[in-house]
Amino acid sequence: MSQIVHFHSVSHRYPGGGEVLADIGFRLAKGEMAFLTGRSGAGKSTLLKLIALLARPTRGQIVVNGQNLATLKRRHIPLYRQQIGIIFQNFNLLYDRTVFDNVALPLVIRGYAHEDIGRRVRAALDSVGLLHKEKAMPMTLSGGEQQRVGIARAIVTKPILLLADEPTGNLDPEMALETMEIFRRFNEVGVSVLVATHAIDLIQQLPYRVIHLDGGRISKDQPVAFAELDHE
Amino acid sequence: MSSAAPRPGLLGRWTQDHLREFVATVGRLYREPVSTLLTAAVVGITLALPAGLHLLVKNLSAISFSWEGSLQTSLFLKDSVSAARGRALAQELRRRRGVQKSEYISREQSLAEFRELSGFGEALQLLEDNPLPAVIVITPDTRDGAEATDRLMTELTRLPEVELAKVDHKWLERLYAILGMVERSVLILSAVLALAVIVTVGNTIRLDIENRRDEIVVMKLIGAPDAFIRRPFLHTGICYGLAGGAIAWIFVHGALLALSGPARRLAGLYESGFSLSGLSFSATLAMLGAGFLLGAIGSFWTVSRHLGKIEPA
């Protein structure tokens, strides 16, 4: 079991709609980082949703970290999601709590002790460069900072897999690059990362595998764009 | 980041999580004092009604029982019983437990009294014999309770010397029956009002859930189990219930204070030692407990119904 994600001829159609994903098959190795690209509507978000169990495939099998998602019972979904860190394009922060409380939430859910939470939250905020903003309310932060709060929340529990849906969609190029850099750092310490993005320009500068979706099918799967040696 | 501090054990976690949530809930409710107080007041009034009625019935029972002291039973003796024996029997009965007073009235006394009171004096003179029996009038001591008094009376009527006993008891039995019915009605009313509390809390929680829909979605996205999402709402419901119980206690206690003056005056007029009995410690606990339980049921029921409908997509 050296792969973290394994899609086996997966198709998905929304009720009454056409096929969003058709016969998708790919593996993401443990510790691998990859980009999922394609135009809007190509099925990138849907693919991530299937991994996060926000949707179920119409056909095919998905295995994540050895767990076949088709056999996962509804009441076990929360525990399953706790293994994954998800980063959203719209951040999905809770705007009535401070940055600290937002990042602490996954730890509170898991029942960590109070002192432990403080330590871990500060470490996570530090890793995204927001340690000084722990008492701020999310509304007072810029888009890039809010996104980094979302990242800190996703990684505070040290997940085995990080999913990001258009994390740079709302950011200017400089911040986008910075965000990708944060993902790279997590990947270097062993976290598997799958990032859906249409910022082709940006990722072409980065030495990672690119899975390209077109019309719900994988049209290209480049192992590594370039500079493989560098990554090794 | 090292994991030096381990996660607490199951019981420690349960305590920690609930304590944490309780503090957060109280803080949240405190920040919205008006809506919190309004809901708590509705719950309080709903709880105060059955509690007050229960207290009313309890006090009425106490009053009606104290009236039993004024009950007298007349034991009509057989004509074969001599005056000496009658007097001795009255003495004997006086020593019996549950008898406060016993008085022997001979046939002659009866006749004299009757002649005086009835105005049939002339007519009675036509009779050769005195038609009136001797009587022992018993005043029961009611301190042993209504049942013991009843039992004593039945025993006395079975004495061999007694021809007939006249117990003027019917009206009291009727009063007891009415009280019994009122008591049952209070019970039924309590059940209906308990339902009202559940619905009130449930509805408030439902609005709360609607307001925090986005938050619930985010929680589900980051893997919060239903128990975790349910917890703040459960605590909110329990807080409403507890606050409602406290408000109900204040209402009932206030009403008691307002009534205690007139009640004392009334008791004075009847020369009775009756005083209003208030809320006991256990009754106070019961009110808070009812609030706690009904709040918990109302919120649990609502959250369970609505949580499944909110899913991230």
Side-chain angles (χ1 to χ4, degrees), chain B residues 57-74:
Chain B
V57 173
K58 205 175 99 183
N59 278 305
L60 280 181
S61 304
I63 297 178
S64 65
F65 183 62
S66 74
W67 284 341
E68 198 150 0
S70 62
L71 278 182
Q72 290 182 335
T73 304
S74 306

mmCIF file of all heavy atoms in Angstrom, chain B residues 57-74:
data_model
loop_
_atom_site.group_PDB
_atom_site.id
_atom_site.type_symbol
_atom_site.label_atom_id
_atom_site.label_comp_id
_atom_site.label_asym_id
_atom_site.label_seq_id
_atom_site.Cartn_x
_atom_site.Cartn_y
_atom_site.Cartn_z
ATOM 1 N N VAL B 57 -52.572 22.653 45.730
ATOM 2 C CA VAL B 57 -53.279 21.428 46.122
ATOM 3 C C VAL B 57 -52.730 20.901 47.439
ATOM 4 O O VAL B 57 -53.481 20.491 48.335
ATOM 5 C CB VAL B 57 -53.140 20.358 45.013
ATOM 6 C CG1 VAL B 57 -53.710 19.025 45.482
ATOM 7 C CG2 VAL B 57 -53.839 20.826 43.761
ATOM 8 N N LYS B 58 -51.416 20.967 47.564
ATOM 9 C CA LYS B 58 -50.783 20.466 48.794
ATOM 10 C C LYS B 58 -51.305 21.244 50.006
ATOM 11 O O LYS B 58 -51.666 20.674 51.039
ATOM 12 C CB LYS B 58 -49.259 20.627 48.661
ATOM 13 C CG LYS B 58 -48.456 19.670 49.504
ATOM 14 C CD LYS B 58 -46.972 19.810 49.210
ATOM 15 C CE LYS B 58 -46.316 20.667 50.254
ATOM 16 N NZ LYS B 58 -44.884 20.907 50.015
ATOM 17 N N ASN B 59 -51.373 22.564 49.858
ATOM 18 C CA ASN B 59 -51.836 23.390 50.967
ATOM 19 C C ASN B 59 -53.321 23.184 51.249
ATOM 20 O O ASN B 59 -53.744 23.154 52.403
ATOM 21 C CB ASN B 59 -51.547 24.862 50.670
ATOM 22 C CG ASN B 59 -50.115 25.227 51.009
ATOM 23 O OD1 ASN B 59 -49.674 25.011 52.126
ATOM 24 N ND2 ASN B 59 -49.378 25.725 50.037
ATOM 25 N N LEU B 60 -54.117 23.031 50.178
ATOM 26 C CA LEU B 60 -55.553 22.780 50.364
ATOM 27 C C LEU B 60 -55.766 21.482 51.129
ATOM 28 O O LEU B 60 -56.625 21.394 52.005
ATOM 29 C CB LEU B 60 -56.263 22.719 49.008
ATOM 30 C CG LEU B 60 -56.578 24.066 48.378
ATOM 31 C CD1 LEU B 60 -57.297 23.879 47.050
ATOM 32 C CD2 LEU B 60 -57.473 24.875 49.331
ATOM 33 N N SER B 61 -54.986 20.459 50.797
ATOM 34 C CA SER B 61 -55.101 19.180 51.503
ATOM 35 C C SER B 61 -54.817 19.383 52.982
ATOM 36 O O SER B 61 -55.515 18.831 53.844
ATOM 37 C CB SER B 61 -54.115 18.157 50.952
ATOM 38 O OG SER B 61 -54.304 18.008 49.585
ATOM 39 N N ALA B 62 -53.785 20.180 53.240
ATOM 40 C CA ALA B 62 -53.410 20.413 54.635
ATOM 41 C C ALA B 62 -54.544 21.126 55.380
ATOM 42 O O ALA B 62 -54.905 20.761 56.497
ATOM 43 C CB ALA B 62 -52.141 21.237 54.703
ATOM 44 N N ILE B 63 -55.130 22.140 54.716
ATOM 45 C CA ILE B 63 -56.236 22.865 55.348
ATOM 46 C C ILE B 63 -57.396 21.925 55.623
ATOM 47 O O ILE B 63 -57.919 21.836 56.730
ATOM 48 C CB ILE B 63 -56.751 24.002 54.441
ATOM 49 C CG1 ILE B 63 -55.675 25.045 54.196
ATOM 50 C CG2 ILE B 63 -57.975 24.647 55.077
ATOM 51 C CD1 ILE B 63 -56.147 26.141 53.265
ATOM 52 N N SER B 64 -57.817 21.189 54.596
ATOM 53 C CA SER B 64 -59.008 20.356 54.733
ATOM 54 C C SER B 64 -58.796 19.316 55.813
ATOM 55 O O SER B 64 -59.715 18.971 56.550
ATOM 56 C CB SER B 64 -59.345 19.699 53.414
ATOM 57 O OG SER B 64 -58.307 18.816 53.061
ATOM 58 N N PHE B 65 -57.563 18.862 55.942
ATOM 59 C CA PHE B 65 -57.332 17.867 56.976
ATOM 60 C C PHE B 65 -57.400 18.481 58.369
ATOM 61 O O PHE B 65 -57.898 17.875 59.305
ATOM 62 C CB PHE B 65 -55.980 17.181 56.763
ATOM 63 C CG PHE B 65 -55.739 16.106 57.764
ATOM 64 C CD1 PHE B 65 -56.597 15.018 57.805
ATOM 65 C CD2 PHE B 65 -54.725 16.193 58.686
ATOM 66 C CE1 PHE B 65 -56.412 14.022 58.742
ATOM 67 C CE2 PHE B 65 -54.540 15.207 59.618
ATOM 68 C CZ PHE B 65 -55.377 14.117 59.640
ATOM 69 N N SER B 66 -56.942 19.721 58.464
ATOM 70 C CA SER B 66 -56.993 20.352 59.784
ATOM 71 C C SER B 66 -58.439 20.577 60.202
ATOM 72 O O SER B 66 -58.761 20.693 61.373
ATOM 73 C CB SER B 66 -56.212 21.661 59.779
ATOM 74 O OG SER B 66 -56.932 22.652 59.088
ATOM 75 N N TRP B 67 -59.341 20.646 59.231
ATOM 76 C CA TRP B 67 -60.758 20.788 59.555
ATOM 77 C C TRP B 67 -61.326 19.547 60.200
ATOM 78 O O TRP B 67 -62.372 19.565 60.827
ATOM 79 C CB TRP B 67 -61.566 21.092 58.283
ATOM 80 C CG TRP B 67 -61.399 22.495 57.851
ATOM 81 C CD1 TRP B 67 -60.959 23.518 58.605
ATOM 82 C CD2 TRP B 67 -61.656 23.012 56.567
ATOM 83 N NE1 TRP B 67 -60.929 24.666 57.886
ATOM 84 C CE2 TRP B 67 -61.350 24.385 56.608
ATOM 85 C CE3 TRP B 67 -62.100 22.467 55.359
ATOM 86 C CZ2 TRP B 67 -61.483 25.213 55.501
ATOM 87 C CZ3 TRP B 67 -62.250 23.288 54.270
ATOM 88 C CH2 TRP B 67 -61.932 24.657 54.335
ATOM 89 N N GLU B 68 -60.675 18.452 59.967
ATOM 90 C CA GLU B 68 -61.199 17.200 60.503
ATOM 91 C C GLU B 68 -61.270 17.249 62.027
ATOM 92 O O GLU B 68 -62.039 16.544 62.651
ATOM 93 C CB GLU B 68 -60.336 16.023 60.061
ATOM 94 C CG GLU B 68 -61.025 14.715 60.202
ATOM 95 C CD GLU B 68 -60.543 13.716 59.164
ATOM 96 O OE1 GLU B 68 -59.678 14.057 58.362
ATOM 97 O OE2 GLU B 68 -61.042 12.599 59.196
ATOM 98 N N GLY B 69 -60.452 18.110 62.638
ATOM 99 C CA GLY B 69 -60.471 18.283 64.093
ATOM 100 C C GLY B 69 -61.839 18.712 64.602
ATOM 101 O O GLY B 69 -62.227 18.394 65.727
ATOM 102 N N SER B 70 -62.551 19.448 63.740
ATOM 103 C CA SER B 70 -63.848 19.935 64.175
ATOM 104 C C SER B 70 -64.938 18.880 63.976
ATOM 105 O O SER B 70 -66.100 19.119 64.258
ATOM 106 C CB SER B 70 -64.208 21.202 63.418
ATOM 107 O OG SER B 70 -64.289 20.901 62.051
ATOM 108 N N LEU B 71 -64.544 17.749 63.510
ATOM 109 C CA LEU B 71 -65.511 16.673 63.290
ATOM 110 C C LEU B 71 -65.841 16.010 64.611
ATOM 111 O O LEU B 71 -64.948 15.666 65.373
ATOM 112 C CB LEU B 71 -64.899 15.601 62.395
ATOM 113 C CG LEU B 71 -64.916 15.833 60.917
ATOM 114 C CD1 LEU B 71 -64.319 14.628 60.253
ATOM 115 C CD2 LEU B 71 -66.332 16.063 60.463
ATOM 116 N N GLN B 72 -67.102 15.829 64.814
ATOM 117 C CA GLN B 72 -67.478 15.088 66.012
ATOM 118 C C GLN B 72 -68.310 13.907 65.582
ATOM 119 O O GLN B 72 -69.059 13.967 64.621
ATOM 120 C CB GLN B 72 -68.253 15.980 66.961
ATOM 121 C CG GLN B 72 -67.353 17.026 67.580
ATOM 122 C CD GLN B 72 -68.080 17.896 68.553
ATOM 123 O OE1 GLN B 72 -69.299 18.051 68.457
ATOM 124 N NE2 GLN B 72 -67.364 18.460 69.494
ATOM 125 N N THR B 73 -68.128 12.821 66.312
ATOM 126 C CA THR B 73 -68.910 11.627 66.025
ATOM 127 C C THR B 73 -69.823 11.354 67.213
ATOM 128 O O THR B 73 -69.387 11.407 68.356
ATOM 129 C CB THR B 73 -67.978 10.423 65.802
ATOM 130 O OG1 THR B 73 -67.070 10.760 64.774
ATOM 131 C CG2 THR B 73 -68.758 9.207 65.418
ATOM 132 N N SER B 74 -71.056 11.106 66.884
ATOM 133 C CA SER B 74 -72.000 10.777 67.961
ATOM 134 C C SER B 74 -72.230 9.273 67.986
ATOM 135 O O SER B 74 -72.599 8.679 66.978
ATOM 136 C CB SER B 74 -73.343 11.464 67.712
ATOM 137 O OG SER B 74 -73.132 12.839 67.531
#
